[in-house]
Amino acid sequence: MPGFELFGDRERAETRDVLDSGVLMRYGFDAMRNGHWKALEMESLLATRMQVKHAQLLSSGTAALTVAMASCGIGAGDEVILPVFTFVASFEAVLAVGAVPVLVDIDDTLTLDPQSVRKAITDKTRVVMPVHMCGSMADLDALQTICEEYGLILLEDACQAIGGTYKGKPLGSIGDVGCFSFDYVKTVTCGEGGALITNDPEIYRRADHYSDHGHDHTGTDRGAEEHPFLGYNFRISELNAAVGLAQLRRIDEFLKIQEMNYSILKEGLQDIQGIEFRRIPEGGTQNYSFLNFFLADEEKARLAIRELAAAGVDSCFYWYDNNWHYHKKWDHLKQMKSLGHLGEEVLQGIKNWRKKDFSISDNWMSRTISCLVKLSWSREEVLQRSERMRLVLRNL
Ligand SMILES: *Cc1c(COP(=O)(O)O)cnc(C)c1O
């Protein structure tokens, strides 16, 4: 997955443009910047590539989720439904705007289960946030139907699935708003960065202002700009955008490598008894950043992960035990270890959540192994890896 594996001359050249002018900020300084607007250029490229009207580049994927939430008018006491298998950033963004994270089950897609979403809806629910984990998507038709029925916002966290599609549309472009991360380990990287995309001009206008202290970005005198509403600073730096611009131009090259490496690994495991691949919703195409499969039970999965490591197959993950991606280890959230006071609704929401049963998700996750698909492997290395994985898993 990581774009950093292929960091090279093109990334360096874009960055040099910025260093040469010394304008490290994305806004203003028109006369000094030698015509370089890397953030703007990357936004335009991203909007085109994702077939949407608007893209707003931000300082991180977490910032993108937070700005998305704020731009949809989400605030204190509003409920946001999201899955128990995700990255902590998803609920951090919800908490950042004072809203209540309502974490629900996943299904065999390893993403938000539409049935569980339906059961979790209350009169406070405002947003449904599927997280397209490990390169593949939630059942977006079913989620869209639910959102339409209840008048909810569909916010796609596509941070781990950039370049994947659903029924021909890029992931992130299907909901009211979609978010990407360009942190150092994502398929496309800025070093640090993120973006939101939308077809809604009002969500975009709000995101543009909110992420820059409420600046309305009219005229040429920053100091004289108006602030129609309260904002924050979630700006990306021009340097980070320069790296991302070079990387985003290569996205289809990256995706092709991922798909090729993924296909070789998958082919090797195809006929092994007791291995089942994660379900891809009908009409979906992954970005192939991870190969995900289920073993028969937890014991087998634990054995498999140990044996894979022993055989020198690195970068395979057992998320069930992971501190950052699965609810079991989110003690800081469960114990509400916030540096400052949390709102009453949030405290109550977390208390209710702690009591819930997630045995459905536990059943999927305790059997899941995810192997990262890298961009920098030689063909030799992929074939060797495939052979090793095959041997280990066949002999379990
Ligand atoms: C990486 C990631 C984020 C957050 O992105 P950052 O740029 O690291 O803040 C959010 N959600 C998911 C699913 C991620 O994988």
Side-chain angles (χ1 to χ4, degrees):
M1 171 159 87
F4 74 73
E5 294 175 275
L6 299 181
F7 183 94
D9 289 343
R10 282 170 278 187
E11 286 76 5
R12 273 188 279 274
E14 291 297 334
T15 316
R16 207 170 302 120
D17 285 343
V18 178
L19 291 174
D20 285 348
S21 76
V23 179
L24 311 184
M25 188 174 178
R26 66 159 301 178
Y27 295 115
F29 302 92
D30 299 26
M32 287 166 62
R33 57 197 312 140
N34 300 338
H36 294 304
W37 298 89
K38 303 300 180 187
L40 265 184
E41 211 180 324
M42 186 174 172
E43 282 168 351
S44 154
L45 185 63
L46 185 65
T48 305
R49 176 61 181 73
M50 296 303 159
Q51 301 168 28
V52 291
K53 296 202 184 97
H54 309 284
Q56 177 71 40
L57 221 51
L58 297 151
S59 53
S60 70
T62 313
L65 293 167
T66 307
V67 172
M69 219 94 58
S71 302
C72 290
I74 304 309
D78 292 332
E79 291 180 1
V80 178
I81 299 177
L82 66 167
V84 288
F85 176 45
T86 179
F87 178 51
V88 290
S90 313
F91 65 73
E92 288 169 352
V94 177
L95 294 173
V97 297
V100 183
V102 177
L103 291 137
V104 308
D105 271 318
I106 55 157
D107 59 21
D108 57 347
T109 65
L110 299 180
T111 68
L112 200 52
D113 168 35
Q115 301 273 34
S116 305
V117 170
R118 219 173 247 288
K119 283 188 216 142
I121 292 172
T122 71
D123 55 4
K124 300 254 183 63
T125 308
R126 298 281 312 280
V127 179
V128 174
M129 188 205 291
V131 185
H132 306 316
M133 286 300 279
C134 301
S136 182
M137 78 272 352
D139 194 339
L140 285 163
D141 268 357
L143 293 175
Q144 211 155 26
T145 303
I146 294 172
C147 287
E148 278 161 19
E149 197 177 320
Y150 291 90
L152 306 174
I153 292 155
L154 184 61
L155 191 170
E156 292 176 76
D157 177 342
C159 291
Q160 291 195 9
I162 192 166
T165 59
Y166 180 75
K167 307 209 166 160
K169 288 188 189 156
L171 295 179
S173 74
I174 294 147
D176 299 280
V177 55
C179 294
F180 299 114
S181 163
F182 303 122
D183 78 21
Y184 195 52
V185 297
K186 297 304 202 285
T187 302
V188 168
T189 186
C190 289
E192 294 284 2
L196 70 75
I197 58 172
T198 184
N199 282 309
D200 184 327
E202 187 54 21
I203 291 179
Y204 167 67
R205 188 184 72 88
R206 290 171 169 191
D208 167 80
H209 298 8
Y210 182 79
S211 58
D212 187 22
H213 304 293
H215 272 273
D216 69 359
H217 297 144
T218 52
T220 51
D221 179 357
R222 235 179 111 71
E225 285 176 16
E226 296 288 336
H227 30 63
F229 50 79
L230 294 170
Y232 243 98
N233 179 1
F234 289 114
R235 291 188 307 253
I236 192 163
S237 93
E238 191 70 349
L239 268 175
N240 291 101
V243 175
L245 176 61
Q247 288 255 305
L248 188 60
R249 289 204 184 104
R250 306 171 70 184
I251 185 173
D252 291 303
E253 175 197 336
F254 291 179
L255 292 171
K256 223 161 116 184
I257 298 171
Q258 268 177 192
E259 181 175 2
M260 190 176 65
N261 291 347
Y262 173 101
S263 304
I264 294 172
L265 297 182
K266 185 171 182 201
E267 184 61 35
L269 308 186
Q270 204 74 263
D271 56 355
I272 297 179
Q273 289 271 318
I275 286 189
E276 208 187 315
F277 295 97
R278 159 240 206 124
R279 178 169 66 86
I280 311 299
E282 203 187 316
T285 304
Q286 313 175 53
N287 83 346
Y288 303 102
S289 52
F290 286 87
L291 175 64
N292 306 277
F293 50 90
F294 305 114
L295 278 294
D297 54 39
E298 178 176 341
E299 202 184 329
K300 272 266 162 32
R302 288 186 182 278
L303 179 64
I305 200 82
R306 276 199 306 274
E307 295 288 317
L308 284 167
V313 180
D314 63 356
S315 305
C316 287
F317 303 102
Y318 186 56
W319 301 122
Y320 191 56
D321 284 344
N322 186 284
N323 279 347
W324 300 98
H325 292 280
Y326 196 54
H327 76 92
K328 269 202 322 150
K329 296 278 179 79
W330 295 341
D331 301 330
H332 60 331
L333 177 65
K334 288 179 191 167
Q335 291 162 24
M336 299 176 274
K337 285 188 180 166
S338 168
L339 293 178
H341 295 296
L342 291 170
E344 258 323 300
E345 294 113 327
V346 172
L347 291 173
Q348 198 50 53
I350 295 171
K351 278 184 202 155
N352 295 342
W353 169 66
R354 282 190 315 209
K355 286 184 247 152
K356 276 174 61 179
D357 166 45
F358 293 108
S359 49
I360 295 176
S361 303
D362 290 349
N363 176 49
W364 293 118
M365 291 311 296
S366 64
R367 298 164 46 206
T368 300
I369 288 179
S370 294
C371 294
L372 184 66
V373 176
K374 289 200 181 167
L375 296 168
S376 58
W377 290 330
S378 67
R379 194 175 165 81
E380 253 338 276
E381 284 172 311
V382 187
L383 291 172
Q384 191 186 58
R385 167 174 287 259
S386 168
E387 191 49 36
R388 282 185 185 168
M389 286 179 73
R390 189 178 157 72
L391 279 176
V392 166
L393 297 168
R394 215 179 42 192
N395 295 334
L396 274 188

